Amino acid sequence: MPRSEASKNGAHHDSNFSSNVVTIDVGGQLFQTTKQTLSSVGSKSFFSNIISDSNAAVPFIDRDPDLFSLFLSLLRTGSLPSNAKSFDMQDLIFESRFYGIEDLLIASQSNPDQFDAFNLDRSLILPLNGRDSPSAIATTPYGELHVAHGSKITSFDWSLRRKSTILTQFMAVDSLLALSPALAAAGATDFSGLQILDLDKGTVTETLNWENVTRSGSTVQAIGASDEHLFTSFESSRRNSNCIMVYSRRDDLRPVATIGHYEIFGADLDSAIPSTKLQWISSHNLLMASGSHSGPSGVSGNIKFWDIRSGNVVWEVKEKLDCFADATASDVLSSMFKVGVSTGEVFMADLRNLGGVDPWFCLGDGRKVVNGKKEGLGCRVESHGRQVFCSKGGDVQLWSEVLIDSRKTEGDERVFRKNLMGRVKDLGGNRIEKLCFGGNKMFLTRKDEQCVEVWNSVKSY
């Protein structure tokens, strides 16, 4: 290639490179980056205006250059640099909103993908005002937290550094579900109707009721949700009928179906049991509804999987011997889990192979027998990721599946192993009553304590 042509190509390359470099003056300090870096956060950010501005002059931004330097690193790597710890998080949040990149900041600090079950430590205590202990807690995927205590609901933002409290019409909230960072569904077993609450304004935006045959009030026993629907378990105030209402989240909570409608006749206790826990199983497009009842002959209950389109029960298990104290399902593990109210053992049922009289097998050693004691009473079980968490007294057990042979088939027995969570100093305490997950954190509450414990696996800030 002739030297003159090579020189032209080199000059053309240098021209392309220089046109891709952007110089910005922030508070009197010059920064250089590329158009690709600035455009990585989309067209709605502050930086998109800089890229589209054809003015040859260096753009000036009258903001703090030290904070801008952190955000430039965030744009380049998706993470804040280590020196970010010397800045107040509220300053970072406020500044990120100016630049339109708060979502990127949230993703770097409270991302569900950062959750590490084997490295959770108790990192923070969130105190609550007043004398009431939490009765319900709810989270969003990126870690906003709502806590019901007495007639109040206290909300924490994703950073857990800013909180606000509203007063509700309830004496106590028994069921709480976060629909968004600022919107929640709340209900109680002694108050008629499901309320949709604006947590920023402290107002009731809508009240949903079930019109039962006796036209009495309808109290809320449980709330659940999928991306498309809101599910509510109602029981009539006279406690002689119950049902599950299905509302469309994409059509202003319009009621679209009524499933599991039971009228109680005589001593038919099975139909008298309302669903007290609702969970959507997206991998099977089914709603899991569970409820139990304590009577003279012990604790009995049932777990039903509903096809909400047909309104039919696809599968059901009735519990009498070692009925569940709590039950949950895992999409990731394709399994259902329960804690036996009598033995306190954790059991699993494979959702891919349901059938038979007793689908459960014990994850522990199975040595405990049903002897009239209720060792599992008050225990909670929840699944998150590939792990199962079970509260026992003041501790949390962590159950994980051991993948022994990748060639295993569905019929082979699955093996789970138990670990106690936390360091020695974190073990023990009052009985754990609520357990949930959001962002990279686990939240739990304890009996008679006016606070929420935060267990974190990432010391990112």
Side-chain angles (χ1 to χ4, degrees), residues 211-227:
E211 294 293 336
N212 55 78
V213 175
T214 60
R215 299 192 179 278
S216 61
S218 51
T219 61
V220 173
Q221 305 297 309
I223 314 171
S226 66
D227 290 340

Side-chain angles (χ1 to χ4, degrees), residues 97-139:
R97 289 172 180 167
F98 172 81
Y99 291 113
I101 58 171
E102 186 181 11
D103 288 346
L104 188 62
L105 179 64
I106 294 173
S108 73
Q109 299 297 298
S110 190
N111 195 321
D113 293 337
Q114 298 169 338
F115 185 84
D116 182 359
F118 296 101
N119 288 298
L120 287 174
D121 291 324
R122 184 166 56 194
S123 58
L124 185 63
I125 302 293
L126 302 175
L128 302 170
N129 297 329
R131 299 180 180 180
D132 297 299
S133 301
S135 57
I137 56 177
T139 58

Side-chain angles (χ1 to χ4, degrees), residues 156-173:
F156 296 84
D157 73 346
W158 64 267
S159 70
L160 305 180
R161 286 166 169 79
R162 186 180 59 183
K163 70 176 182 179
S164 59
T165 301
I166 67 167
L167 192 63
T168 71
Q169 299 173 5
F170 303 100
M171 292 296 292
V173 175

Side-chain angles (χ1 to χ4, degrees), residues 151-312:
S151 58
K152 301 182 288 293
I153 296 178
T154 296
S155 299
F156 296 84
D157 73 346
W158 64 267
S159 70
L160 305 180
R161 286 166 169 79
R162 186 180 59 183
K163 70 176 182 179
S164 59
T165 301
I166 67 167
L167 192 63
T168 71
Q169 299 173 5
F170 303 100
M171 292 296 292
V173 175
D174 298 304
S175 299
L176 186 65
L177 179 74
L179 300 175
S180 72
L183 205 64
T189 57
D190 62 353
F191 193 96
S192 185
L194 176 75
Q195 293 189 355
I196 308 301
L197 302 173
D198 186 321
L199 299 172
D200 286 340
K201 300 177 181 177
T203 57
V204 179
T205 64
E206 191 171 0
T207 300
L208 305 175
N209 285 291
W210 170 52
E211 294 293 336
N212 55 78
V213 175
T214 60
R215 299 192 179 278
S216 61
S218 51
T219 61
V220 173
Q221 305 297 309
I223 314 171
S226 66
D227 290 340
E228 295 184 2
H229 298 104
L230 174 68
F231 311 105
T232 306
S233 172
F234 284 109
E235 183 180 40
S236 66
S237 298
R238 297 181 182 180
R239 305 188 70 180
N240 59 357
S241 59
N242 57 70
C243 84
I244 299 171
M245 290 293 297
V246 183
Y247 302 94
S248 173
R249 296 183 64 178
R250 298 182 178 179
D251 189 11
D252 297 327
L253 297 179
R254 178 179 60 88
V256 294
T258 301
I259 59 177
H261 181 185
Y262 296 104
E263 298 290 332
I264 289 84
F265 300 100
D268 184 10
L269 289 180
D270 284 343
S271 62
I273 302 175
S275 299
T276 53
K277 190 169 186 177
L278 301 174
Q279 185 177 356
W280 178 250
I281 315 300
S282 60
S283 58
H284 291 66
N285 282 320
L286 296 174
L287 176 67
M288 181 179 125
S290 58
S292 61
H293 169 80
S294 182
S297 59
V299 181
S300 61
N302 56 62
I303 302 173
K304 299 178 181 180
F305 286 83
W306 292 91
D307 181 342
I308 63 172
R309 293 165 296 184
S310 67
N312 297 327

Side-chain angles (χ1 to χ4, degrees), residues 2-61:
R3 182 175 299 179
S4 60
E5 187 175 342
S7 299
K8 289 179 181 178
N9 287 339
H12 179 69
H13 174 77
D14 291 342
S15 174
N16 286 341
F17 179 78
S18 60
S19 65
N20 189 45
V21 175
V22 179
T23 302
I24 307 172
D25 184 344
V26 183
Q29 186 172 332
L30 294 180
F31 294 87
Q32 283 194 320
T33 185
T34 65
K35 291 181 178 179
Q36 285 87 344
T37 298
L38 295 179
S39 63
S40 62
V41 289
S43 59
K44 294 184 179 181
S45 74
F46 178 89
F47 302 112
S48 62
N49 296 327
I50 296 176
I51 300 172
S52 60
D53 191 355
S54 59
N55 191 345
V58 174
F60 174 77
I61 307 173

